[in-house]
Amino acid sequence: MQPKIGIVICGLEGNHQFVSNPYIQSVRYSHGLPLLLPLVRSEDLLNQYVSLCDGFLFCGGGDITPLLFGESPLPGNGRTSISTDIFQLHLMRQILSSRKPVFAICRGMQLLNVACGGTIWQDFSLIPGKTLDHMQQTDVRSDISHKIRIGRTGHLRKCLGTSLYVNSFHHQAVNLTGKGILVTARACDETIEAIELKDYPFGVGVQWHPECMFRTSPEMRTLFKNFVEHCSVSGE
């Protein structure tokens, strides 16, 4: 039996809940069984989500409501959905209590940090000093944008080595890290590009979009494969 991977919905558009196809395909071709987890307002159903799945993928999406990490909205903050935010934060905390594997991408990484008590830079214009343009303008989302350097320990070092070129589609970034969060990759402007949970089986967040690079990058396929393998162990 393939491990069951709960892919948490990216967001809401009118009456539609959505997940972008590359997330689903990346899980599928990494030999996981993708299950889409829609937004629900039920404690019982959240508990069933956590019990049902062997691991969880949190995807990219809109900005997180600043009030949920103790700030008021500042210039540059984008569109938010507090219903989506509360659902995902509550689910994330339930999952972390279960110690099941979590892979969090872009907004998902920021959500992981907020769930652990951390904060977010609401826009790069608010960060002191010079920063790269982290919102690349390319026709193909698999194109690379900039280089990251990876720390000496953690899952990313084992999967990806010491450095890597990645794509980049974000105007916000992790600011203060939450409890138990380790920074495991940075860009050359010191922007946090990856985080991992300390003393946790597999809790990884990346700021880039590996699902968009899955077909073109062996490293991204290795990263997804490593995640799904940890979910296999979780489901035994």
Side-chain angles (χ1 to χ4, degrees):
M1 176 71 74
Q2 293 177 321
K4 298 181 288 294
I5 312 300
I7 304 177
V8 184
I9 60 122
C10 300
L12 305 173
E13 288 183 353
N15 287 324
H16 301 279
Q17 302 192 37
F18 67 92
V19 169
S20 300
N21 193 51
Y23 296 107
I24 299 169
Q25 296 303 317
S26 296
V27 168
R28 176 195 170 194
Y29 288 115
S30 300
H31 305 294
L33 176 64
L35 301 177
L36 306 189
L37 304 183
L39 186 158
V40 293
R41 297 178 178 86
S42 165
E43 187 74 18
D44 179 61
L45 289 183
L46 289 185
N47 290 333
Q48 290 190 56
Y49 282 174
V50 176
S51 297
L52 173 67
C53 298
D54 302 311
F56 298 85
L57 177 62
F58 283 78
C59 307
D63 295 351
I64 301 169
T65 305
L67 292 173
L68 297 177
F69 52 88
E71 296 183 8
S72 297
L74 297 173
N77 188 63
R79 294 181 62 184
T80 60
S81 166
I82 197 166
S83 296
T84 302
D85 297 338
I86 291 173
F87 159 68
Q88 291 189 349
L89 281 170
H90 193 29
L91 178 58
M92 178 71 83
R93 287 168 178 146
Q94 296 270 73
I95 294 164
L96 296 183
S97 295
S98 77
R99 295 185 60 78
K100 289 188 175 183
V102 178
F103 188 22
I105 293 173
C106 199
R107 165 195 161 91
M109 177 179 111
Q110 297 169 9
L111 186 94
L112 172 60
N113 187 54
V114 171
C116 294
T119 65
I120 303 299
W121 288 109
Q122 294 183 41
D123 190 72
F124 271 94
S125 63
L126 303 171
I127 301 177
K130 293 183 179 180
T131 61
L132 299 174
D133 182 357
H134 286 263
M135 185 63 76
Q136 72 186 66
Q137 303 294 323
T138 59
D139 292 332
V140 181
R141 287 178 68 87
S142 61
D143 287 350
I144 58 176
S145 174
H146 63 80
K147 191 176 184 178
I148 64 169
R149 64 182 192 276
I150 300 170
R152 296 182 179 180
T153 60
H155 293 287
L156 289 184
R157 182 61 172 253
K158 296 175 185 176
C159 292
L160 307 179
T162 60
S163 64
L164 192 70
Y165 284 93
V166 298
N167 58 9
S168 187
F169 300 97
H170 62 108
H171 76 102
Q172 298 188 322
V174 168
N175 183 3
L176 300 177
T177 53
K179 183 178 180 181
I181 295 286
L182 301 175
V183 176
T184 54
R186 291 183 183 269
C188 63
D189 62 1
E190 297 303 319
T191 296
I192 295 173
E193 290 283 339
I195 58 176
E196 299 189 31
L197 291 168
K198 183 180 180 181
D199 299 325
Y200 195 90
F202 187 100
V204 174
V206 299
Q207 189 59 73
W208 67 93
H209 281 268
E211 80 286 355
C212 294
M213 301 175 68
F214 186 86
R215 293 184 181 275
T216 59
S217 169
E219 292 86 356
M220 301 311 161
R221 293 194 291 272
T222 298
L223 182 55
F224 267 97
K225 180 182 178 183
N226 190 256
F227 164 56
V228 172
E229 286 175 348
H230 277 82
C231 296
S232 297
V233 173
S234 168
E236 290 180 353

